Amino acid sequence: MNTHEASDARPWDGLILGASLATLDGEGYGAVTDGALGWRDGVITYAGPRDGLPGEPDVLAPTVVEASGWITPGLVDCHTHLVFAGDRAREFEMRLEGASYEDIARAGGGIVSTVRAVREADADELLRQSLPRARALLRDGATTLEIKSGYGLDYDNERKMLQVARRVGEELGITVRTTYLAAHALPPDFADRPDAYIDAVIEWLPRLHADGLVDAVDAFCEGIGFSAAQTRRVFEAARALGLPVKLHADQLSDLGGGGLVAAFGGLSADHVEHTSIDSVRAMAASGAVAVLLPGAFHVLRETRLPPLEGFREHGVPMAVATDCNPGTSPLLSMRQAMQLACTHFRLTPEEALRGATVNAARALGLDDRGRLRAGLRADFVRWDVAHPAELGYWLGGELAASVHVDGRQVR
C-alpha cells in the first residue's frame, strides 16, 4: 500500500485506489475491480471504477492510497449483549457434561448469574471489562454495534448498563445502538411475580428513554422468559414512546414471536429457529428482518434450523450477528459469525456478507450504512483477501488490513 499527500485543499478528504470493491449495491457482491473509494466529512463521495473518477486523484483528495485486496462496507453487529461482568465458562462445561440451557437457568445459573456479577460491578469496572470485547469486534471489521441491557433487571443497574454501552461508543468513536432488554429474565426479587416485574419494566422505560439511553426495546419471549401476552405489554409501552421493537423470538419453541414482531411493525425477530411459516409470512408483509445467531446455535449444539427457505421464498431479509454474551455465544468476531452461518445454516458467503452489512443495518433501523454508495457513511474495511467469499471461509485469522469509521482509520 502506497500513500502520498498534498498539502492544499481538495474536494475530498481521502481516496483509495486499486482495491476491488464489494459495494453490495444491486445484485451479488456489486463487485468493482480496480476500484476507487472517496469520502469527505465522513460520507462516501464516490464508489466505483477508477476510470470513472470525476477528476485526477491528486486534484480530488489530499491523501491518495494505492491498495490491493477488497473493500467492503463496515460490518454491523446488530445483536450483542457485550456489556457484562464475569463469565460463565463453568456453565459451558456443565452443558458439555449433559445439562440443558433450561436446566442451568432453573438452577439459578444462566442469565441470573450474570445479573449478580453486573450488580456487583460499578460502571467503571463494567466498562473496563466490556471494552476489550468491543475492541475485538472493531479490529475484525465491525464498525457499528448494537448493545442490549438485560443483566441489571432493576432500574439502577439497567440504567448503568445502558450508560456503559453509550460510553463504549464514545471511547471507540463508533456507533453504538442501545436496546432496553429489562424483560430478559425474572430477577430473584420478583420470584413468582412475572406480571409485577413487567409492570416495573414498563415503569422504568419512560425514565430511561427521557435520559436518551434507549434506541429500541427488546424482550425474551420464551417459556423460560416471558409470555407473548407479557411481551405485548412491553411492546405497547415502547410504541407509546415511539420506540421501535425487536424480539428474542422462537429460539426454543414457537410462541408466535415472529408474528408478534410483525404485528408491531418491529425491526427484527432474532434467533427464529422455531418460527412458523405463518410468522414468516407476517414478517415478510411487515418488513421485519430475521436475525440469525449461529453462535448460540453452535454453542448450544442446536439441531432445529431456522426456516431459511421460507425466509428466502417470502423475501424476508436475513441478518447475521454475534449474539456476543457470556453464556450461550461468547463470540467476538463478525467474520466467525458469518462463517458459522455459512456452515450451520448453509448461507452463501454473499448472503452472509449482506447479512452482516445491508440487512444488519436494516435490523437496527439504519439506512445510512451497509453499502458502498455515494451519500452513505464512510464506514468500510479493507481486507487482505483475493475474493470476498474468503470472509465466510476462513476460521479465525486476521484479514482486516484497515478499518475506517467516518473515513477515519481506526485500525
Side-chain angles (χ1 to χ4, degrees), residues 201-255:
V201 168
I202 291 169
E203 193 271 326
W204 302 334
L205 176 57
R207 288 189 278 162
L208 295 170
H209 178 47
D211 287 340
L213 294 174
V214 180
D215 296 321
V217 174
D218 195 351
F220 184 32
C221 185
E222 193 54 73
I224 60 171
F226 296 95
S227 70
Q230 290 160 344
T231 300
R232 179 177 290 275
R233 290 180 58 208
V234 174
F235 280 8
E236 287 169 347
R239 182 163 60 186
L241 294 169
L243 287 167
V245 298
K246 306 165 67 67
L247 188 64
H248 285 63
D250 310 326
Q251 179 185 9
L252 305 173
S253 61
D254 181 14
L255 295 185

Side-chain angles (χ1 to χ4, degrees), residues 75-329:
L75 306 182
V76 177
D77 197 348
C78 64
H79 183 128
T80 86
H81 304 255
L82 72 79
V83 170
F84 61 84
D87 66 61
R88 290 182 1 224
R90 173 57 187 145
E91 291 178 18
F92 174 70
E93 188 172 47
M94 289 170 64
R95 281 196 301 273
L96 293 174
E97 292 169 349
S100 71
Y101 184 32
E102 292 93 333
D103 292 337
I104 292 168
R106 292 195 176 100
I111 293 168
V112 174
S113 66
T114 299
V115 171
R116 289 192 295 268
V118 166
R119 289 182 175 183
E120 291 169 1
D122 65 20
D124 289 340
E125 176 61 18
L126 198 53
L127 179 66
R128 186 192 69 79
Q129 293 192 39
S130 301
L131 270 175
R133 294 186 281 269
R135 287 195 177 104
L137 289 165
L138 176 60
R139 280 196 304 272
D140 207 32
T143 56
T144 299
L145 303 178
E146 185 257 17
I147 301 177
K148 302 178 189 296
S149 68
Y151 295 135
L153 307 188
D154 62 25
Y155 176 77
D156 289 338
N157 286 291
E158 287 291 296
R159 186 171 188 270
K160 178 176 68 179
M161 288 190 69
L162 293 166
Q163 289 173 326
V164 169
R166 289 282 193 236
R167 289 173 65 185
V168 168
E170 293 163 3
E171 287 276 343
L172 300 184
I174 63 174
T175 299
V176 168
R177 302 292 284 181
T178 54
T179 299
Y180 177 63
L181 181 59
H184 195 196
L186 189 64
D189 30 321
F190 280 87
D192 301 319
R193 295 188 296 136
D195 288 324
Y197 180 63
I198 292 298
D199 289 341
V201 168
I202 291 169
E203 193 271 326
W204 302 334
L205 176 57
R207 288 189 278 162
L208 295 170
H209 178 47
D211 287 340
L213 294 174
V214 180
D215 296 321
V217 174
D218 195 351
F220 184 32
C221 185
E222 193 54 73
I224 60 171
F226 296 95
S227 70
Q230 290 160 344
T231 300
R232 179 177 290 275
R233 290 180 58 208
V234 174
F235 280 8
E236 287 169 347
R239 182 163 60 186
L241 294 169
L243 287 167
V245 298
K246 306 165 67 67
L247 188 64
H248 285 63
D250 310 326
Q251 179 185 9
L252 305 173
S253 61
D254 181 14
L255 295 185
L260 184 58
V261 166
F264 279 83
L267 293 172
S268 68
D270 303 25
H271 285 291
V272 295
E273 282 91 334
H274 290 261
T275 296
S276 70
I277 194 63
D278 287 341
S279 288
V280 170
R281 293 189 185 100
M283 290 171 64
S286 73
V289 176
V291 177
L292 307 180
L293 302 174
F297 186 92
H298 177 77
V299 171
L300 293 173
R301 294 180 293 166
E302 296 288 354
T303 57
R304 172 70 175 258
L305 292 172
L308 302 164
E309 289 308 315
F311 292 143
R312 290 185 179 109
E313 178 184 352
H314 293 280
V316 176
M318 292 184 288
V320 175
T322 64
D323 192 16
C324 172
N325 76 74
T328 61
S329 189

